[in-house]
Amino acid sequence: MIAQNVVFWILAVAMVLAAIGVVRSNNLVHAALYLVVVLAGSAAQFILLAAEFVAWVQVLIYIGAVIILFLFGIMLTRAPMREDLALDNDQRLAAAVVSLFLLGVLSTLLIQAFGDSKIDITGPQGSELVNNGRAGTLAESIFSTYVLPFELVSILLLASLIGAVVLARRD
Amino acid sequence: MMNFAWLIPAIPVVSFALILFFGKKMPRQGSEIGIAAIASSFVLSCIVTVQWIQRVDETVSEHGLGIVRAIGKGLLANSEEGVAITPVINTVEWFRIGTLEVAVGTQIDGLAVMMLFVVTLISLLVHIYSTSYMHGDVRYTYFYAALSLFTASMLTLVVAPNTLQLLVGWELVGLCSFMLIGHWWEEKANTNAALKAFLTTRTGDIGLMIGVIVTFFAAGQTFDIVQINVLALEGHGGHTIWMVGASCLLVGIIGKSGQFPLHTWLPDAMAGPTPVSALIHAATMVVAGVYLGARMYGVFWQGFSIADGGVNPMALVGGITILIGAALAFVQDDIKKVLAYSTISQLGYMVMGLGIGAWVGAVFHLFTHAFFKALLFLGAGSIAYSGTHHSFDMKKDMGGLRKHMPVTFWTFIIGSFALAGIFPLAGFWSKDEILATAGQGGYEIFMVVGLVGAFLTAGYMTRCVWLSFFGEYRGHAHPHESPKPIIVPLIVLAVFSVLAGLANASAFGIEKFKEYIEPHGEAFPEVLTPQFDVGLAALSFAIVVIAIGVGGFFWVDRRELRALKGLTDRSGTAKAGHSFLMNKYYLDHLYERGIVGGIKGPIARAAYWLNQNVIDGVVNAAGRGSAALGRLTYRFVDQDVVDKAVNSIAQETGNVGGLLRYVQSGRVQRYALMLFGAVGVLALSLVIFS
Amino acid sequence: MNWFQDWALTLSIFLPAVGMVIILLIPRAKENAIKLVALLTSLVTLGVGIGILADFDYSNTGVMQFRVNDSWIDLIQARYHLGVDGISLPMLILSMLVTVLCIVYSWNHFPEPHNPKGLLALILLLEVGMNGTFLAEDLILFFVFFEIVLLPMFFMIGVWGGPNREYASIKFFLFTLFGSALMLLGFLALFFLAGTFQIPALTAKAGIDIAHNTQNLIFLGLFLGFAIKVPMFPFHTWLPDAHTEAPTVGSVLLAAVLLKLGAYGFIRIALPTLPHAAETWAPWIGLLAVVGIIYGALCCLAQTDMKRLIAFSSVSHMGFVMLGIATLTAFGINAAIFGMVAHGLITGMLFFVAGSVQHNYGTRELSRLGGLLTSAPKMGWILGFCVMASLGLPGLAGFWGEFPAVLSAYQPAPGLDVTTFRIFMVVAAVGTVLAAGYLLWMYQRVAFGTPKPEFAEAHIHDVSKIEWLAWSPMLIGIVVFGIYPEAIFGITNGAVMKLYGG
Amino acid sequence: MNPGWDFHALAPLIVIVITIVVVLFADFFFEYRGRFRTSQFATFGVLAAMVPVVTLAVDGGTRVMFGGAIVVDPYALTMQGFFLVATYITLLISVDYIGDGDYYQGEFYVLMLTSLLGMLVMTTARDMISIFVALETISIPTFVLAGWRKHDRKSNEASIKYYLIGVISSALMLYGMSLVFGLTGSTLLSEISTKVASIDEPLLIVAVFLTLVGFAFKVSAVPFHFWAPDTYEGAPTPVTAYLSVASKAGGFVALLTIVYFGFFDAPDTWQPVIWVLAAASMLLGNLAALRQTNIVRMLAYSSIAQGGFLLVPFAVAADGGAAKASFEAVIIYLLIYGAMNLGAFAVVITLARRTKSAEIESYAGLGSYAPWLALLMSAFMFSLAGVPPFAGWFAKFVMFRSVLEAGTPAATVLGVIAAVSSVIAFFYYARVAREMWFHSVREGADASPVQMPIALTFAMGVCGVIVLAVGVYPQAFAFLGDFAAGG
Amino acid sequence: MILAQFLVLAAVLFCIGVYGVLARRNGVLVLMSVELMLNAVNINLIAFSAYLRETSGQVFALFVITIAAAEVGVGLAIVLLIYRNISSPDLDQLDQMSG
């Protein structure tokens, strides 16, 4: 348990720092790379929580696709690949206040509600958990209960593709 | 015929419609329709009158009281076996509200037949008179239409068996009065007078209206006059409510019959054509108030406790009106104004008469006054028509007309004497009846008022006659006698002025009026029948004669002396004569400042000033004031408060709309900021408040 | 006549709608066809009205006749429920008649901008709403018809009105919309507490299951809705603006029929369904009524515009109607209904004449008018006649609305404070004098005297044939009802006794 | 593994999917000139989808599929019918707009149909995941559609604003949903509903609140409305019409579903939120609309305000016996709102083709040269204002009815706010009518008759007929409301 | 491990994302911040899924990931489009419409 906690905290600190990097970096590409750290950290956390399949999907889709998309976006908008002090707007302070306020409210309530709830990933329950995270289990769930949204997502992705192409196309 | 009395007002209604729609196409422009109609109504009225008299006679003889009747003295009313001579009432249902049925119809009794006779007769005479007087008028046809409508309305009022019908007639005669006063509406002054007349009487009508309402409920929800009178005399529901009712009705009387303090419209009403003044503003419409008093006598009897003597509002109003009317008549130069104030004063007699229990006297005075006052007005009209080129100014345009217009002069003299109360003319008997009742019924003070009034009446009439007919002609026309249509009515009226008084010449034991006109029965109180008082009669006669003498002396001498003075001036000043003249002048001064002057000068002038500036001022100011109040209300309350409140709400909402637009800055991240801010705040407050 | 019994009311509501549709389909250029269709439609509708008059059972005026009761909106239990009784019959006929006369009058009096198609279509639409309101026996149906009236009037004022028309039209609409919103809340509350929208059922229940305070609240909502429409002081400020700016026929319809919808609502809905609350509120209604009488009259005295003066006189006159209603007695309600009919005819006529005066002189400024009797004697006489009728001269219709209302205030329904109402009575009676004052004053300035120099040479048309045609029914009505009030009372009394006879 | 496919129940979805594919391929195969046919395929497909909806409705009953995640019941069918008709009318008013401009045609219809597909799924979804996916399926194509006028900066702006606010709203919603999932242990509404009442955690309130945020964005409830005016103004007008009607209705359907089938038994969690949203939307929407000079922007605020009115029944749904009445009220209001708002946009589009302006002032004198158009527009405006005999009155009526049915003080206050707001609203609706009828044509403006394309005319006519017919005979829609609420 | 530590981590990431959305002017960066928020949601879902032993949380997370990808695709397309038109990816230059 301790080991997992140590891993968690290391990952957590790294993720938070990287996240701050995403929103504070003065370099677009750096920001994107920080985002990779956050997303990869998340994937690691997922594994920590025995959500193996999701973790892989996270890595594949997020790091493999979304970040690439971002990098393309950065390139296509001809953003300078260097320090750019004009990346922030004039409402940083207000933004900070609002987000801290939100954080305060949320974390208070979260701790109040789940402060002493333990996640047990050892023993028989742990194996159930691991089983839950397997692709097969998830597939069973998706193709029984969530088949309609699944089909819908496919059409949505198609439509997004078409839409993105229409918008991004030079004409 | 009494069952068909409805024809009497109906005929003029038809005539009105006919004249209105076809008058202009008739050879004589509609006047013939009017005259024919009124003549038929008159004939029918006479028939009804005769039938009524027969009915009274029959009823009495049936009860074997013929002999007693011959002796008279009101035994019928007081008799144990008192016979109620019920009025002949014919009604049809008019409408129904709730459970109440309101009828319309005719009520024929002594009072009604008397009024029918007077109204139709005078109306007929005025119709005839007007064919000449109004000849060539721009609105000749319309004038006849209005006369017909007036007659119809007045007759409707007269025969009304219930207060509602009475109210209808009452208002309609007011309308006709308005139309006819404003007959020459091109002039602002005339229309002002018409408005004033209508509004003033309508102010009084508030009283009448409420009075009708109060008596309606006091008598257990009925408009029926007989029933109201009966219940009033019983004191049904207590005395107070009847007092309230009577007071309200009195206000109506004050407005319509030109009583103090709402009398000011009547002199102004002289702006109308003279025949109208004679018919409406002297003989008939203005006595509607008195008629109402007489008609609803039970209410007043109960409400003002007339039997108790002393002072009551009705008598007081009448008394004051006698004096102020007469005093004001002294200072008028316009002959019609003199007669108007005289009318006010005489109406005061009638109202006072009713107030002191002299029902017979008041109604009798109404009867006689109608003839001689109509006569005087028509006489004045005759003067203006043939003598002064349509002027009524005695000082500027008259004088010495007796030579040029003998018939007018003599009839006018008869009228004046009748008005002044010279024995044995009509006015003497009726006035005496009132005064006698006052003396014997516990209203001595009003007897004195009456006598003073008689004195003043004689005085101003002397002045009036003198200024018009004696001395030298001061006008610029070519005076001549009036044509026949004018003369004949004058003569007829003169005859009535002489003879009408004999109908109830109590001194000779003739009490026809009491016998036939006074109601008998439970709907009528036991009024006092005064004994003829020779002393009082002599006193009043003496007062009249003295007044004529004093007045005559003053004016006659003055005129003569002025002529003399001119003579001496021309002959070059004789000293002896001069001192005599001077003496005469001292005497003049004495008179002027003493007896006559005391009246004519300070008192009358003060009264006139008061009248014009205070009472009339109040009346006018009420009009102006309400207009001003209207403007204030409109400007500051309606436009500023009520309306602005509404508008500013609209404006404010608009402003808020503008303010809110700042939020919508157009920058998406500002939106997001507000969104997250709202989420945070909402989340926190939801958690806290739940 | 069974067929007629079943369809008469539906026809009288929807025939005008059919006419309107036909008019909308005719090209605008074919003016004569449009006019003809409009006239025919309104005449046929009036014919239906006459049929109802003929077929009406006068011995049972308290009973709803020609009843139609079909399903309409099942979800909310609102029904297509129509009926006519002695209270609604006179109002229905008035509305039908005035519509015909307005169309006749419009024949050659179309206001600018010239668009007969639009104006006539709106008049017919207005008739749909008016007739429907008087016939509805279901609260929701009533509400819908009550509201339908707004739109045509809004457009009539806004399109054909005077210089300040936009302001006036918006104000008119907002006031009445606000009122009806509250009224609708009242209706709904009634529904939830009494379980039905049917007026007869609600009347039969008379609010017995509803707590007194709740009744009072509901009544307040209804009161505001109706009082704004009447309009009672202090909700009247839309009226002078609307009247002043509206074209002639708009003013006539507004005065003759629209104002009656509110008072009718009181008589038909507010008082019978919530008698106890009515008792609580009656003194306040009475108070506002008499304040309105005096206030309206005072405002009249301050006017310089003929139409605006007549408009304020409506405030005053409707005060009498409301006073009669406030007494809650059969007498007062009868008087109120009579007053409504009389006011409809008389004030309608006054607006007609004012319209023709403006048509002739191009102004309604009293200071510029004068000598109408010289320039156009017939019109002058008609104006005088209407003035006399309006000031409540007995023998003309106005009196029978005014006097019995004042009379009924002497003894209001049991439970109401007698002293209060007697004070109202006296104040109202004073109002009659003020009425005479402002009306005669107006008449003096318009009709008496000689024409002002600026119009001395002008050719003033006297009453034209069209005008005679449009006016004479109203003039005759004023006289006939004045002389023979039973013509109205005879119809209303039975119905009023049934509702308020207790 | 039988997931419980019921092809009859899913037939409307299948038809739309087929249509999407057909349109997509048709776009490939037709020459540029023939592309307009894609619109015909699309409209035909939408109409075809109506058939199974009707047969299902006639068939009656409730079809539960996929472990309760998908349910086809009268409510779903009613709303499917609504979405199909609304989309059909939107397609009609798009045809000429899209055809005239140099826009991608086939893609436009594909995206619109995808969005429609999301709506259809939304009606049947009884599970948070399905609702989320359906909501995104409704939204994402419309993000793109809002920017369809690619070279118009306003359109770009419309798109990015809509997108960004949409995305962060969904993030908030997802966050909320994750918490709901954590607290209740399920994503199925049927299971959530059995548990919510017993959870006594303040976190639940925030969880539900955040969940509702996503829908609040969709229905542009204040303070999640910021995108709406700008997006409405900038987006191609047919898209705006679609956003203001179909897409908004999608949000309401989601709200109905999640409130009625999920959180209903824990009213403390959602009622206050919706109360605040409703009140704020009505007041702010109406007040802000007063100041608008651009008709589309005015309609945007108007639809925010209308959204507020639509939220009123939600806010009182759990009080007293108002549950059914509120449900019916929302459905009926939506149906009526759809007709009148689409109608209004159809007129705006018809006129914009001519005046090239969306300023209200450009409507001056319309009554004189295009009376029918002005008449229709007036009808839609007054209907939106809630004036009989147009359908809007009944929408407001059922709304007030639910308020009074609830009868609580909070409900009453909301009712009064609603009443006051509806009176304020009259100002700006009437302003359009005033401009059209009371004012004369502006100097230099073209006053020749307006050209009316068939599709637009038909769309306006349908909306006009509905607005008038339902206004006169509201039972037509009341019946549907009743049907949806389960009889 | 306790559940709350994951949840708080998620909350922190979420709020950092919020800050980024609010304070970044570059469109691409704003999109990245959104991804932070969505990622936080996923952490929540997975943590709850583990805590509750309920698969549906993970399914939910999968859908979130997929749709986030779709969103990013569209979002970047829009940013690109704007960039084409105004030659800048800055969001605060887009304030043509307001009020």
Side-chain angles (χ1 to χ4, degrees), chain C residues 72 74 140 165-166 173 188, chain D residues 426 434 438-439 472 475:
Chain C
W72 180 40
D74 297 338
I140 299 306
R165 58 181 192 266
E166 286 202 33
F173 206 114
L188 279 166
Chain D
F426 173 74
R434 277 154 70 200
F438 298 1
H439 294 173
V472 174
Q475 181 61 24

Side-chain angles (χ1 to χ4, degrees), chain C residues 24 72-76 140 144 147-148 151 154-155 158-159 165-166 169-170 173-174 177 184 188 192, chain D residues 328 332 372 382 388 390 393-394 397 400-401 404-405 423 426-427 434 437-439 472-475 478:
Chain C
L24 288 181
W72 180 40
I73 317 178
D74 297 338
L75 180 74
I76 57 171
I140 299 306
V144 170
E147 294 288 290
I148 285 181
L151 282 179
F154 172 72
F155 281 111
V159 177
R165 58 181 192 266
E166 286 202 33
S169 60
I170 283 280
F173 206 114
L174 277 182
L177 194 73
L184 182 62
L188 279 166
F192 285 119
Chain D
E328 288 164 353
I332 293 169
W372 280 101
F382 285 114
F390 304 114
W393 79 266
F394 189 65
F397 179 90
F400 282 123
R401 171 170 165 259
L404 280 163
E405 185 101 56
V423 176
F426 173 74
F427 266 111
R434 277 154 70 200
W437 297 102
F438 298 1
H439 294 173
V472 174
Y473 186 66
Q475 181 61 24

Side-chain angles (χ1 to χ4, degrees), chain B residues 514-529:
Chain B
K514 177 165 184 62
E515 193 180 327
Y516 294 116
I517 307 301
E518 190 184 79
H520 306 281
E522 51 173 353
F524 192 74
E526 296 178 8
V527 296
L528 178 79
T529 306

Side-chain angles (χ1 to χ4, degrees), chain E residues 5 30 37:
Chain E
Q5 66 196 45
V30 171
M37 290 165 73

Side-chain angles (χ1 to χ4, degrees), chain C residues 194-500:
Chain C
T196 177
F197 281 126
Q198 311 310 307
I199 296 172
L202 287 168
T203 308
K205 283 189 181 168
I208 33 172
D209 334 330
I210 308 175
H212 195 77
N213 285 335
T214 321
Q215 275 203 39
N216 284 345
L217 266 177
I218 300 174
F219 193 89
L220 183 67
L222 303 184
F223 169 78
L224 284 171
F226 296 138
I228 287 175
K229 197 85 167 191
V230 168
M232 293 183 76
F233 174 88
F235 312 111
H236 66 281
T237 68
W238 63 269
L239 179 79
D241 286 311
H243 264 316
T244 315
E245 302 301 330
T248 304
V249 287
S251 294
V252 172
L253 285 164
L254 195 56
V257 190
L258 260 63
L259 303 189
K260 311 303 176 297
L261 301 179
Y264 179 80
F266 273 109
I267 297 173
R268 171 66 73 214
I269 297 168
L271 304 188
T273 55
L274 296 166
H276 300 292
E279 225 167 75
T280 314
W281 285 99
W284 299 102
I285 300 177
L287 179 68
L288 291 182
V290 293
V291 169
I293 293 173
I294 300 295
Y295 180 90
L298 288 176
C299 286
C300 281
L301 287 168
Q303 298 310 317
T304 57
D305 181 306
M306 189 174 169
K307 256 179 124 177
R308 210 170 164 82
L309 192 153
I310 303 170
F312 268 111
S313 85
S314 285
V315 176
S316 191
H317 281 125
M318 290 309 283
F320 284 101
V321 170
M322 290 313 300
L323 180 63
I325 290 173
T327 63
L328 307 179
T329 57
F331 218 101
I333 307 272
N334 268 316
I337 300 170
F338 201 107
M340 280 149 68
V341 175
H343 176 261
L345 295 173
I346 296 166
T347 309
M349 264 314 299
L350 280 172
F351 276 118
F352 267 141
V353 177
S356 286
V357 164
Q358 186 183 22
H359 198 73
N360 270 327
Y361 288 86
T363 180
R364 300 183 308 250
E365 277 298 308
L366 289 172
S367 55
R368 291 173 63 195
L369 296 171
L372 183 66
L373 276 168
T374 311
S375 326
K378 283 174 190 147
M379 200 179 286
W381 285 116
I382 290 173
L383 178 62
F385 174 83
C386 299
V387 160
M388 284 297 159
S390 183
L391 61 79
L393 194 79
L396 300 177
F399 177 73
W400 300 112
E402 212 167 270
F403 178 72
V406 176
L407 185 136
S408 65
Y410 184 86
Q411 205 170 66
L416 298 179
D417 183 43
V418 171
T419 317
T420 314
F421 273 87
R422 289 194 184 160
I423 294 168
F424 293 164
M425 173 188 78
V426 175
V427 178
V430 171
T432 60
V433 177
L434 290 176
Y438 62 74
L439 284 163
L440 290 179
W441 180 64
M442 175 193 83
Y443 188 60
Q444 185 187 25
R445 294 202 287 174
V446 173
F448 287 148
T450 44
K452 293 283 184 308
E454 60 174 318
F455 297 114
E457 301 299 315
H459 180 64
I460 305 297
H461 296 274
D462 209 340
V463 184
S464 67
K465 281 211 178 84
I466 294 282
E467 283 167 335
W468 274 123
L469 216 54
W471 295 354
S472 42
M474 291 174 97
L475 297 173
I476 291 168
I478 293 171
V479 175
V480 168
F481 294 139
I483 293 172
Y484 188 60
E486 179 73 1
I488 304 276
F489 287 137
I491 299 174
T492 61
N493 196 34
V496 173
M497 285 300 284
K498 188 169 173 244
L499 287 179
Y500 301 92

Side-chain angles (χ1 to χ4, degrees), chain A residues 14-25:
Chain A
M15 283 165 73
V16 170
L17 287 175
I20 291 173
V22 174
V23 298
R24 295 293 298 134
S25 165

Side-chain angles (χ1 to χ4, degrees), chain A residues 77-135:
Chain A
T77 57
R78 307 232 167 84
M81 302 270 184
R82 52 184 164 73
E83 301 273 304
D84 183 355
L85 295 172
L87 287 175
D88 287 354
N89 62 19
D90 55 359
Q91 56 180 22
R92 270 180 304 194
L93 186 68
V97 169
V98 165
S99 51
L100 282 175
F101 178 69
L102 210 56
L103 179 63
V105 173
L106 287 177
S107 47
T108 314
L109 291 169
L110 285 169
I111 291 167
Q112 190 193 339
F114 298 107
D116 46 6
S117 308
K118 290 204 162 48
I119 301 177
D120 198 357
I121 53 168
T122 51
Q125 287 166 329
S127 63
E128 185 198 341
L129 203 61
V130 172
N131 187 44
N132 274 350
R134 290 228 168 86

Side-chain angles (χ1 to χ4, degrees), chain B residues 424-439:
Chain B
L425 301 183
F428 171 78
W429 298 109
S430 52
K431 205 175 284 178
D432 189 61
E433 181 85 25
I434 295 172
L435 295 181
T437 315

